[in-house]
Amino acid sequence: MSEKKESTADSEAKSRAVAEDSREEEWTSPSFVQELFLGNFRLDLIHPYPAQSEADKAKTDAYLEKLEAFLRENVNPTEIDRTGEIPAEVLDGLRKIGVFGLKIPEEYGGVGLSQIGYGRAIELITSWDGNLTALISAHQSIGVPQPLKMFGTPEQKKKYLPRLAAGAVSAFALTEKSVGSDPARVTTTAVESEDGSEFILNGEKLWCTNGTIAELLVVMARTKPKLKNGREIPQITAFIVEASSPGVEVTHRCRFMGLKAIQNAVIKLDNVRVPKENILWAEGKGLKLALMTLNTGRLTLPMSATAGAKICTEITRKWASERVQWGAPIGKHEAVAKMLGEMAANAFAIEAMAELSCLLADRGSNDIRLEAAIAKLWTTEVGWKIVDDTLQVRGGRGYETEESLKARGEVSVPVERLMRDFRINRIFEGSSEIMKLFIAREAVDTHLAVAGELIDPSTSSKDRAAAFARAGAFYATWLPKQYVGWGHWPRYGEFGKLAPWFRYIERGSKKLARNMFYAMSRYQAKLERKQALLGRFVDIGAELFAMAATCVRADALRAQGGPEGEKAVRLASIFCRQARMRVDNLFHQLFNNVDASTYRFAQEVLRGEHAWLEEGVFQMIPDGARLAPEPPATAPAGEAPMAVPSGQ
Ligand SMILES: Cc1cc2nc3c(=O)[nH]c(=O)nc-3n(C[C@H](O)[C@H](O)[C@H](O)COP(=O)(O)OP(=O)(O)OC[C@H]3O[C@@H](n4cnc5c(N)ncnc54)[C@H](O)[C@@H]3O)c2cc1C
């Protein structure tokens, strides 16, 4: 092996080791979605529907009423978008009504909402102004309160939670110029002082939301490496940092295509002295803390997507029934009707998936990593399609700003703003591509535990023989189950019109498990490089989860009685019909695709062999200019291992 190759492999192994070390593993009940990937449709994990308690609902409803009145009376979203600023009075007002303590327990001065209660508040806020969602979510979905609640000492909680609940804004600082989706490579350093009482932080953080106004930051920094099996494992530690500390400097406020008023900063840390007692959890636990924080933190985005989906459905429905072209309301033309029919069904599914994931998080015992990750991935992807279709159906008016519409006498419908604000959801808190890798890694976890050593080229022949025997015993019982079992009528008959869909999900889950097993046997260790194939597995799992969520939610609504129950069953059935088409196509494409030739062609494009097709227009990037910052000295080359962490 060449010296370069050695260091690359070593570096990749380090990245993988850090990521593996940081996976959350402490749960008492299994994950519904993980079981789905294993061919076990565990309906008992989501049915009976894990409903919100009456007391929690009453508390949430009372708070939402107050919040709605505040937003209506005090917040002008058009103005915030135009000026790029959230007025100081709005920030103060939000503090007064306790928005910064929504998820902080009452004993520390917070409102103490449950995950679903908080999610409902986020849904309402997003439907009014996405900038406020970014502010509140960066503060308490990922900022100091969430990891502090989960990992803080009693002293830390007593010291900081009341301050945070009262409105001391916080932020989460992980990303750096060279460290985006692969946070294990953080370069900011934290070195212990000589007397051991402090750590001295140096580095620069990028895109830190709330960074310009935050009083408190959670900063991820690299501390002394740990030795594991003779290998140096980099350690990342989380620190609570007072933004007023000497050496903390906001060097730039970043501006974006949407979320114009987001207070997002580049923050320089120059010999910042942080007391040792400000370490969150423990030295070396920073990445795990960040990933565990995100496991629930990322449930905010599905609730935001729910808001976007509902607003868009309302706008499209009203516009498509009023706007007449070619002698008929445009909603009567099939091309537009198709978009609206898919939109309404998807809006129902987005809410079902988001709500179910929050309710499972509130239950506390279930492993919800996969549910939260799929909810983040699927609802933001489908939500984006909904926003795009809304703009399309609105035609030229969709592209026109709300102020321009108003100035010429039309209703100021903010589709253009909505689109700009929504787009980032597919990138932050784990980009869609990284979410797929994370989900795929968790989905095959049982297979890796059972047969991982068999596909690991570094396993010795003695260990391989033992692993072979272990895997043989597991698959001798697991594999036949994926082929047998009754997934047809009259199973699930108690669900009436929804029964066929439960049967379809059960059969789909087994088919998915069989195909994943086949792919593992066929590609072995190379499977982790087959991102397009893994992506299809994830997409199938996501659609099946969406079908299950819509069906159990519709069933719960039907059980409550009232006319909406039957309508919910209709919505769920329509959604499932549409989802079945997608699932069937995805199954077909698993091993009938052009992935390999497209990949080879993309490498030709990367090498510049087709740069000739870019001729005839202005060149965007001057010759010699470098777009990407230099990677850190230890960055791995080549593709990422499947064990990538979940990004932020
Ligand atoms: C408005 C905004 C607010 C933000 N707020 C915060 C914050 O508060 N705190 C914070 O720490 N960070 C924050 N971020 C950073 C955000 O989380 C990152 O942008 C995100 O993690 C992606 O990193 P990146 O932009 O560097 O993309 P890169 O990692 O450079 O990725 C570029 C592209 O390559 C893809 N890609 C990367 N690796 C792989 C792979 N292994 N396989 C397949 N595809 C891959 C990505 O999906 C993406 O499409 C914010 C960013 C923005 C724009």
Side-chain angles (χ1 to χ4, degrees):
M1 231 189 241
S2 74
E3 214 180 290
K4 169 137 189 356
K5 274 204 168 152
E6 258 174 27
S7 76
T8 296
D10 189 41
S11 190
E12 185 167 314
K14 268 188 196 167
S15 197
R16 186 194 300 255
V18 175
E20 282 297 320
D21 237 25
S22 304
R23 289 178 58 235
E24 184 173 2
E25 278 159 356
E26 304 84 4
W27 304 94
T28 52
S29 289
S31 146
F32 170 78
V33 170
Q34 186 154 38
E35 292 292 314
L36 204 60
F37 278 110
L38 277 172
N40 305 326
F41 176 40
R42 290 282 308 273
L43 186 55
D44 61 303
L45 294 173
I46 56 169
H47 185 270
Y49 198 63
Q52 188 180 13
S53 75
E54 283 304 319
D56 189 47
K57 188 166 179 318
K59 183 174 175 182
T60 306
D61 289 348
Y63 188 80
L64 293 187
E65 216 174 288
K66 194 159 75 170
L67 180 61
E68 187 182 335
F70 174 82
L71 294 172
R72 229 180 252 291
E73 283 159 30
N74 301 285
V75 181
N76 180 342
T78 316
E79 192 62 7
I80 289 179
D81 183 61
R82 194 180 59 76
T83 59
E85 300 295 340
I86 299 172
E89 315 83 80
V90 171
L91 274 176
D92 280 347
L94 289 170
R95 283 191 179 100
K96 284 197 188 105
I97 62 163
V99 162
F100 292 94
L102 286 180
K103 273 178 90 180
I104 296 176
E106 286 178 45
E107 60 178 301
Y108 296 107
V111 181
L113 292 184
S114 59
Q115 186 67 40
I116 186 66
Y118 173 70
R120 288 282 174 234
I122 289 290
E123 185 188 346
L124 188 68
I125 293 166
T126 308
S127 69
W128 197 252
D129 187 347
N131 292 285
L132 298 187
T133 305
L135 165 76
I136 291 154
S137 164
H139 168 72
Q140 62 195 318
S141 299
I142 57 174
V144 182
Q146 184 66 20
L148 187 57
K149 252 174 31 178
M150 291 166 76
F151 309 105
T153 62
E155 294 74 37
Q156 287 175 330
K157 287 182 191 173
K158 233 164 96 187
K159 182 167 176 194
Y160 294 110
L161 283 177
R163 211 174 130 192
L164 291 156
V169 176
S170 76
F172 176 83
L174 175 56
T175 302
E176 299 173 4
K177 254 189 199 167
S178 314
V179 183
S181 302
D182 181 7
R185 317 240 114 238
V186 159
T187 62
T188 295
T189 54
V191 178
E192 204 169 352
S193 64
E194 265 178 25
D195 65 0
S197 67
E198 293 176 319
F199 277 77
I200 299 152
L201 272 60
N202 278 289
E204 190 181 70
K205 293 293 177 180
L206 178 64
W207 295 328
C208 183
T209 301
N210 291 350
T212 51
I213 54 168
E215 284 183 35
L216 291 164
L217 315 167
V218 196
V219 178
M220 305 296 157
R222 186 171 290 265
T223 42
K224 213 165 75 198
K226 190 170 83 177
L227 271 181
K228 195 173 173 185
N229 302 333
R231 205 185 264 282
E232 254 192 17
I233 309 284
Q235 297 295 289
I236 295 168
T237 303
F239 295 88
I240 301 176
V241 177
E242 294 277 354
S244 59
S245 310
V248 177
E249 190 194 349
V250 171
T251 56
H252 176 69
R253 177 171 173 191
C254 308
R255 297 287 190 169
F256 303 96
M257 77 183 270
L259 299 180
K260 293 287 186 189
I262 193 173
Q263 293 281 351
N264 187 287
V266 176
I267 298 184
K268 196 167 168 212
L269 302 160
D270 184 13
N271 285 319
V272 179
R273 303 186 84 91
V274 181
K276 195 175 184 173
E277 59 268 20
N278 281 24
I279 287 180
L280 265 170
W281 198 358
E283 220 182 306
K285 293 282 192 187
L287 193 58
K288 187 161 184 168
L289 171 142
L291 300 186
M292 286 174 74
T293 301
L294 280 163
N295 282 336
T296 44
R298 65 166 63 93
L299 287 173
T300 304
L301 290 181
M303 292 310 291
S304 262
T306 302
K310 287 183 181 178
I311 296 173
C312 285
T313 308
E314 184 208 340
I315 294 170
T316 308
R317 173 175 62 83
K318 291 182 175 168
W319 166 252
S321 63
E322 281 174 23
R323 174 70 169 172
V324 174
Q325 289 291 284
W326 303 86
I330 55 170
K332 295 272 181 192
H333 300 306
E334 196 179 16
V336 174
K338 181 173 181 292
M339 286 189 258
L340 181 61
E342 287 174 356
M343 187 182 296
N346 283 337
F348 182 70
I350 286 177
E351 181 166 25
M353 195 189 262
E355 183 182 88
L356 178 61
S357 304
C358 288
L359 289 168
L360 289 172
D362 279 332
R363 195 193 262 169
S365 53
N366 290 74
D367 175 355
I368 53 122
R369 276 171 301 178
L370 275 173
E371 284 74 2
I374 288 196
K376 194 277 170 186
L377 167 71
W378 194 85
T379 64
T380 56
E381 287 292 330
V382 176
W384 173 247
K385 164 99 172 56
I386 288 179
V387 176
D388 189 40
D389 281 353
T390 303
L391 194 142
Q392 190 67 20
V393 174
R394 282 277 290 162
R397 286 167 179 81
Y399 196 63
E400 189 171 6
T401 67
E402 55 197 310
E403 286 188 306
S404 173
L405 283 164
K406 192 173 170 195
R408 57 181 193 77
E410 295 205 20
V411 179
S412 59
V413 183
V415 177
E416 174 266 348
R417 165 162 60 85
L418 200 69
M419 176 171 246
R420 285 188 284 108
D421 286 353
F422 196 94
R423 183 61 181 84
I424 186 61
N425 293 337
R426 296 173 58 213
I427 296 172
F428 61 14
E429 296 191 19
S431 69
S432 292
E433 294 73 27
I434 294 301
M435 284 291 89
K436 285 191 175 178
L437 294 186
F438 169 74
I439 294 161
R441 166 65 186 84
E442 294 299 334
V444 298
D445 189 49
T446 303
H447 294 291
L448 285 184
V450 174
E453 281 177 286
L454 283 180
I455 58 175
D456 183 348
S458 67
T459 307
S460 69
S461 37
K462 192 170 146 228
D463 290 346
R464 194 175 292 273
F468 193 78
R470 265 200 318 277
F474 173 80
Y475 288 113
T477 52
W478 179 81
L479 200 52
K481 278 199 226 149
Q482 307 315 316
Y483 290 91
V484 297
W486 187 248
H488 299 272
W489 185 85
R491 206 156 148 69
Y492 303 114
E494 67 274 26
F495 291 100
K497 286 183 193 154
L498 294 170
W501 300 118
F502 285 112
R503 295 195 283 267
Y504 180 84
I505 300 164
E506 180 157 53
R507 292 195 304 276
S509 156
K510 284 184 194 295
K511 188 170 174 185
L512 176 60
R514 288 197 300 272
N515 277 284
M516 284 174 63
F517 177 74
Y518 169 70
M520 284 189 71
S521 324
R522 177 167 164 185
Y523 298 115
Q524 303 198 7
K526 289 195 191 116
L527 180 61
E528 67 182 15
R529 308 291 185 203
K530 302 233 162 260
Q531 293 190 352
L533 175 62
L534 292 170
R536 283 187 203 98
F537 286 137
V538 171
D539 286 339
I540 293 171
E543 294 286 355
L544 293 177
F545 178 38
M547 290 171 86
T550 53
C551 287
V552 290
R553 180 157 189 262
D555 184 64
L557 290 170
R558 178 173 55 184
Q560 283 170 17
E564 272 159 20
E566 281 311 316
K567 286 185 181 161
V569 170
R570 167 110 178 103
L571 268 172
S573 303
I574 291 286
F575 171 77
C576 287
R577 271 171 192 259
Q578 294 167 358
R580 180 177 56 189
M581 294 259 304
R582 293 190 289 268
V583 171
D584 291 349
N585 280 337
L586 284 162
F587 271 125
H588 175 73
Q589 288 164 16
L590 279 178
F591 302 104
N592 297 287
N593 53 57
V594 290
D595 294 348
S597 56
T598 305
Y599 185 83
R600 280 195 302 276
F601 173 65
Q603 303 316 299
E604 290 172 20
V605 177
L606 275 180
R607 289 193 294 270
E609 289 168 22
H610 300 284
W612 58 272
L613 73 80
E614 297 154 14
E615 285 167 12
V617 292
F618 286 104
Q619 188 176 324
M620 288 290 117
I621 320 294
D623 287 333
R626 195 183 154 86
L627 284 183
E630 289 289 348
T634 52
E639 297 147 280
M642 204 157 123
V644 288
S646 51
Q648 70 285 358

